[in-house]
Amino acid sequence: EVNFYRMDLELLFSRTPFLMDVAEQFSIIRPNATQRIELAAGQTVRNLPIPPEFASVNTMIEVVGSGQRKLKPHYPHAFTVQVIEAYGQIQVVRTETRKPLPAVYVKVYARRASGQVVFFKDGYTDLRGRFDYASVSTGDVTDVQRFAILVLSDEAGAAVREAPPPTR
């Protein structure tokens, strides 16, 4: 069984930035669509296209079978996000042209060593398509274990990445 759940990505990210932490929540809501897939005897792999109504929207895809359950988010986007861990930066470029995407909204949450998840910062990519996700003027990142980064463009789609803090 393959279930498709449309997502309001910014709202979901703001509630649970480390998205796989929210996986259990999808089991208590009704999917927007379900496909029942039969595998031939001995078949263990089958490629399925994403239905057209979900191909261009942020969707959580759930596969259930043989006592297992796997979830995978689908974020349609026309850009590439490069995480530059050493500097605590990302660069966003259009996939087709490799040109930087300026003015793309970025929202960052941090998971602290205590396990607490907190809003860290937000802003927009600069003219080079870059955004510094790790530095803030009010403190440091010494107790940050991991960052969750939402990249959201009105024209080019959305993506979520996770990254460690830069090494000191």
Side-chain angles (χ1 to χ4, degrees):
E1 188 172 275
V2 182
N3 297 311
F4 299 90
Y5 303 88
R6 284 195 176 106
M7 296 187 290
D8 178 337
L9 188 55
E10 186 174 5
L11 177 63
L12 184 61
F13 181 83
S14 294
R15 289 184 177 170
T16 311
F18 294 89
L19 198 53
M20 291 321 289
D21 293 349
V22 78
E24 287 303 312
Q25 292 180 20
F26 285 94
S27 66
I28 61 171
I29 60 174
R30 187 183 335 203
N32 297 102
T34 297
Q35 291 181 351
R36 296 201 188 282
I37 307 299
E38 296 291 328
L39 296 178
Q43 184 181 15
T44 59
V45 176
R46 181 163 172 197
N47 291 327
L48 298 171
I50 295 174
E53 64 268 29
F54 298 102
S56 63
V57 296
N58 296 313
T59 307
M60 183 65 76
I61 301 169
E62 174 187 47
V63 179
V64 181
S66 297
Q68 295 184 31
R69 179 174 175 256
K70 300 289 182 187
L71 286 126
K72 177 88 173 158
H74 167 67
Y75 311 120
H77 53 270
F79 59 77
T80 301
V81 178
Q82 178 187 9
V83 178
I84 307 163
E85 293 178 6
Y87 297 103
Q89 296 181 354
I90 61 167
Q91 183 174 32
V92 183
V93 296
R94 189 167 292 282
T95 303
E96 284 185 10
T97 64
R98 305 304 299 161
K99 290 187 177 181
L101 276 175
V104 172
Y105 180 65
V106 180
K107 189 178 221 179
V108 182
Y109 280 79
R111 178 180 282 140
R112 301 202 180 277
S114 66
Q116 179 188 25
V117 175
V118 296
F119 172 78
F120 195 74
K121 71 186 295 186
D122 68 345
Y124 293 87
T125 56
D126 63 17
L127 292 174
R128 303 168 300 156
R130 288 188 179 231
F131 182 81
D132 182 332
Y133 65 83
S135 57
V136 289
S137 59
T138 59
D140 64 359
V141 297
T142 56
D143 72 333
V144 173
Q145 283 186 327
R146 197 132 184 94
F147 289 103
I149 306 164
L150 170 67
V151 181
L152 191 61
S153 168
D154 288 338
E155 65 176 69
V160 174
R161 297 289 183 271
E162 289 189 21
T167 55
R168 301 253 173 213

